[in-house]
Amino acid sequence: MQEIRTAPRAKIEWARRRAALFRSVLAPPPRLTVSEWTDRYRYLSREASAEPGKWSTDRAPYQRGVMDAFSDLMVEDVVLMWASQTGKTECLNNLIGYFIDQDPAPILVIQPTLEMAEAWSKDRLAPMLRDTPRLRGKVRDPRSRDSGNTVRHKVFPGGHITTAGANSPASLASRPIRVVLADEVDRYPPSAGAEGDPFALAVRRTATFWNRKLVRTSTPTLKGFSAIERAFQEPDRRRYYYHVPCPECGHYQTLRWENVRWEDGDPESAAYACEACGVLIGEERKLDMLRAGRWVAENEEASVRKLGFHLNALYSPWARWAEIVREFLAAKENPELLRVWVNTILAETWEEAGEQLSPDSLASRREKYSAEVPGGVGVLTAAVDVQADRLEVLVVGWGAGEESWRIHYEQIPGDPAGEPPWQALESVLTRGWRHEHGAELRIAACCIDSGFHTEAVYRFVRPRQTRRVWAIKGISQPGRALVGKPSRANKYGVKLLPIGVDTAKDVVFSRLRIAQPGPGYLHFPEWLSEEYFLQLTAEKAVTKFKKGRPVRVYERIPGRRNEALDLECYALAALLSLGDTVVRNLGTWVERVREQGEKARAEAEEGRPPAPKPQAPAAPTIPRIAGWIHAW
């Protein structure tokens, strides 16, 4: 003590400053909510956002209450049933940044597949860690030895982030987890392998944490089968809706689609009609309404530990009402497109009008084609079903918006173990088809079911893969990609395409309900038999329960064959195998066929020497199957 009293004043001051420095380093960080942390520190990356730079929750004020629920110690389980373009993924990213910086913990992020999990890590997580100064350097450098930083597992002081696929039980059950973030849960398979519900598997990893956090987000899908809707509607969950005031009368209300108004033929005139005073509110006033909005619980007596938030795209600052109206007008006559619009814009489940189709109503739509291949066709695909005593072949023509025409249907008799039926099939696949505009089309891709006479199929396919003749294997699993990633796990080394037949049947049945020609409509020629339509409608969707969870599956109607339905699914898969570029630009192929036909006719009328018979351009070569469409 005597030494301290007699020490020079400068040394005492130096000691005080040093002590203060130690206290500042060792002191815990200020307690922030997720929204406060985000507004203070978060930066959006250029490759992950249309509005890069400093984050501002005022841009979408409804996000504040949701993000703060994440950091509320009383809240354990949060469900977001939100529309697209509302910022739900960035809310999850903000939560991850908050935990890394403020409350380190082991975190599990679940995407529908491992591939999607890796894409999220590369495209969303890595840019956030790089461009947010507060996070920069907290995750170990992946270039250093034993960094613990990989695409699917990243370590930071006090915690780590693991990304997993709902289709991979190993990635869901690897280590204890305190925070589970499950994104797009309606796209999860019913079971992760043989282990059971993917989210339930992940929740088991949180059992030892008293302060765990469970977050699920998704746009909903089918009514009765939507996982996010079931979670949102749990009886003990407090459900919140965002209420905004009318700028004229001040009445607080939720934004509903039925109150959107526009003049016929003019989506740009879209406005919102107040449910109280009826005044039309223009888009330019939406942001002021959002900033004055508030989350209101529908059932305040429910648990404060389990919260649910519903939000449609009418609230989104990135989705103009005029664009939403325009998308509705484009989709309203097409059940397939309307279903997507209801799910992703209104954040509501879709309820099928009916599960079974009438063969007679479809047969009544038969029409006389003006040529072997009608003028609306730009690309041909083929499908082959292998039976014990025959091959069945369907050729389908595709036009803009995937409107389709049945061009050829044939049963080729003979034992598929022998050569004759395959020789006859080769003649079908290599012949030219006369187009209404004078061109001659060739089949661009063909899918052959390998479930029966597998080796015979492989032998036929192997030398013809350069012509995009593919062996396929149907997989009956809800949510499976319509065309999956091919494999070569067979002794012939052929590329085998897995086909999600339930997904394909969903698409086919949805399109069969389209009543007017246009995108997605199916045309039937007058020569198709009644039996074809009986086979086309030979299955119906039913609900079954697997491990306590409702699953939508297709069952065959007793006494009915279903080859025609299978062929329609395979022909659609053949189209998708050509790649997203071809599918998106089918209208361009139709136009090219028309132009070639007109050119040939013009030359004939001018008396020029007859040119070679025009052929429509084949679909572009697909050099790598990895570039195909893997989801629908």
Side-chain angles (χ1 to χ4, degrees):
M1 292 294 292
Q2 183 65 28
E3 290 181 2
I4 294 177
R5 291 193 187 98
T6 59
R9 183 172 298 178
K11 288 186 177 181
I12 296 175
E13 186 61 30
W14 176 83
R16 286 176 178 171
R17 288 200 303 268
R18 189 176 182 185
L21 177 62
F22 277 122
R23 283 196 300 271
S24 67
V25 171
L26 297 176
R31 185 71 182 179
L32 302 174
T33 66
V34 173
S35 68
E36 289 171 342
W37 180 90
T38 302
D39 281 326
R40 186 177 298 187
Y41 299 121
R42 177 74 199 281
Y43 281 80
L44 293 168
S45 304
R46 185 172 300 277
E47 63 265 51
S49 174
E51 299 177 356
K54 190 72 169 62
W55 173 281
S56 174
T57 306
D58 285 339
R59 186 74 174 91
Y62 51 77
Q63 295 176 334
R64 180 171 287 106
V66 174
M67 289 192 291
D68 289 348
F70 294 156
S71 50
D72 189 334
L73 293 176
M74 294 295 294
V75 177
E76 176 183 90
D77 187 350
V78 178
V79 166
L80 306 185
M81 190 165 75
W82 280 22
S84 300
Q85 302 184 63
T86 50
K88 64 180 183 294
T89 300
E90 288 302 335
C91 285
L92 293 186
N93 294 342
N94 293 338
L95 177 58
I96 291 170
Y98 172 86
F99 274 108
I100 292 174
D101 184 49
Q102 296 282 300
D103 190 9
I107 303 168
L108 177 66
V109 179
I110 311 173
Q111 296 290 341
T113 66
L114 276 174
E115 292 80 6
M116 293 176 69
E118 292 182 356
W120 173 84
S121 179
K122 295 175 183 176
D123 301 339
R124 295 292 190 129
L125 178 59
M128 179 180 72
L129 297 176
R130 180 198 66 209
D131 295 334
T132 299
R134 185 75 174 186
L135 302 177
R136 197 177 299 147
K138 294 212 169 186
V139 174
R140 295 179 187 173
D141 190 340
R143 294 169 294 184
S144 64
R145 181 176 298 179
D146 298 327
S147 69
N149 184 342
T150 65
V151 171
R152 298 211 315 255
H153 184 66
K154 298 183 182 295
V155 176
F156 54 87
H160 55 76
I161 306 171
T162 301
T163 55
N167 60 343
S168 170
S171 66
L172 295 171
S174 57
R175 51 179 59 88
I177 295 295
R178 178 186 153 203
V179 181
V180 175
L181 308 180
D183 197 15
E184 292 299 339
V185 295
D186 268 24
R187 276 71 183 171
Y188 290 4
S191 178
E195 301 289 333
D197 180 79
F199 183 73
L201 279 178
V203 171
R204 291 177 200 163
R205 312 312 303 168
T206 68
T208 59
F209 291 92
W210 66 269
N211 56 345
R212 69 180 183 178
K213 291 286 183 183
L214 310 176
V215 180
R216 281 168 283 181
T217 80
S218 189
T219 52
T221 50
L222 282 175
K223 189 172 184 63
F225 301 91
S226 171
I228 198 70
E229 184 190 46
R230 284 198 306 275
F232 182 76
Q233 295 290 352
E234 287 171 345
D236 61 338
R237 185 176 300 278
R238 186 174 295 189
R239 295 183 290 274
Y240 284 90
Y241 298 86
Y242 201 66
H243 288 237
V244 295
C246 170
E248 297 297 328
C249 70
H251 173 71
Y252 272 83
Q253 60 202 289
T254 57
L255 297 182
R256 303 176 184 274
W257 170 245
E258 55 264 30
N259 292 330
V260 177
R261 304 283 186 269
W262 67 92
E263 297 177 7
D264 287 345
D266 184 18
E268 288 296 326
S269 65
Y272 192 85
C274 172
E275 65 183 20
C277 68
V279 68
L280 291 180
I281 306 166
E283 178 87 31
E284 70 280 358
R285 309 186 77 173
K286 180 164 70 173
L287 185 56
D288 290 336
M289 296 166 67
L290 294 178
R291 287 174 175 167
R294 61 196 181 203
W295 287 102
V296 177
E298 178 188 71
N299 52 340
E300 291 187 359
E301 70 283 357
S303 171
V304 296
R305 296 188 63 79
K306 299 174 65 176
L307 307 183
F309 298 87
H310 181 270
L311 195 80
N312 63 49
L314 294 175
Y315 293 93
S316 174
W318 304 285
R320 296 173 57 241
W321 291 338
E323 287 301 320
I324 292 174
V325 170
R326 189 172 286 108
E327 291 178 20
F328 168 75
L329 294 176
K332 67 175 184 176
E333 301 297 335
N334 185 326
E336 184 180 349
L337 297 178
L338 187 59
R339 168 181 166 175
V340 174
W341 185 88
V342 168
N343 291 161
T344 61
I345 300 297
L346 300 187
E348 296 176 2
T349 52
W350 172 263
E351 188 169 9
E352 295 284 6
E355 295 301 310
Q356 189 174 342
L357 293 164
S358 165
D360 294 336
S361 64
L362 295 176
S364 67
R365 286 166 34 179
R366 286 177 290 190
E367 58 190 273
K368 183 175 182 179
Y369 292 171
S370 56
E372 188 174 36
V373 180
V377 173
V379 171
L380 296 179
T381 66
V384 181
D385 189 37
V386 181
Q387 297 293 320
D389 59 351
R390 68 190 185 281
L391 303 177
E392 297 208 7
V393 188
L394 176 68
V395 178
V396 176
W398 302 90
E402 296 183 48
E403 187 173 4
S404 60
W405 289 258
R406 272 78 243 139
I407 305 301
H408 179 76
Y409 173 63
E410 179 181 356
Q411 295 183 350
I412 301 175
D415 184 355
E419 289 298 319
W422 297 105
Q423 293 172 353
L425 174 62
E426 176 71 356
S427 298
V428 174
L429 298 182
T430 56
R431 62 160 286 192
W433 303 84
R434 182 176 54 82
H435 194 277
E436 180 179 333
H437 295 309
E440 188 175 81
L441 267 65
R442 303 279 177 174
I443 290 172
C446 173
C447 285
I448 304 177
D449 182 26
S450 64
F452 193 47
H453 283 290
T454 303
E455 291 200 8
V457 173
Y458 287 170
R459 287 197 301 269
F460 180 81
V461 163
R462 184 175 181 181
R464 296 170 175 83
Q465 292 179 111
T466 55
R467 290 174 18 212
R468 294 180 290 276
V469 177
W470 310 117
I472 63 172
K473 179 181 180 180
I475 300 176
S476 182
Q477 182 185 80
R480 184 91 184 194
L482 203 154
V483 178
K485 187 176 181 180
S487 69
R488 292 181 181 269
N490 54 82
K491 69 178 183 180
Y492 289 91
V494 302
K495 292 176 180 176
L496 179 65
L497 273 65
I499 305 298
V501 291
D502 287 346
T503 304
K505 289 171 185 176
D506 284 343
V507 175
V508 171
F509 277 119
S510 177
R511 292 182 177 182
L512 286 172
R513 294 188 179 93
I514 300 174
Q516 298 297 324
Y521 183 81
L522 277 69
H523 294 264
F524 302 107
E526 60 180 356
W527 45 261
L528 269 182
S529 69
E530 303 287 343
E531 175 62 21
Y532 185 88
F533 296 98
L534 287 171
Q535 293 185 15
L536 187 57
T537 58
E539 295 187 13
K540 61 180 179 179
V542 298
T543 302
K544 290 191 172 183
F545 286 85
K546 293 185 178 180
K547 298 182 179 180
R549 182 173 178 177
V551 178
R552 186 169 181 261
V553 298
Y554 284 91
E555 288 188 348
R556 190 187 307 182
I557 299 171
R560 302 261 286 271
R561 301 186 67 89
N562 65 348
E563 288 89 342
L565 176 58
D566 288 342
L567 288 170
E568 292 285 353
C569 294
Y570 303 159
L572 174 61
L575 174 69
L576 298 186
S577 76
L578 293 172
D580 191 38
T581 301
V582 175
V583 175
R584 284 201 315 263
N585 295 286
L586 285 170
T588 302
W589 294 103
V590 175
E591 187 62 21
R592 290 183 184 180
V593 173
R594 184 188 63 78
E595 290 175 355
Q596 288 195 1
E598 290 179 352
K599 182 179 178 181
R601 280 195 297 269
E603 291 175 351
E605 291 172 358
E606 292 174 3
R608 299 182 192 177
K613 192 171 185 180
Q615 294 187 1
T621 300
I622 310 298
R624 296 177 65 249
I625 296 182
W628 291 1
I629 295 177
H630 297 318
W632 183 252

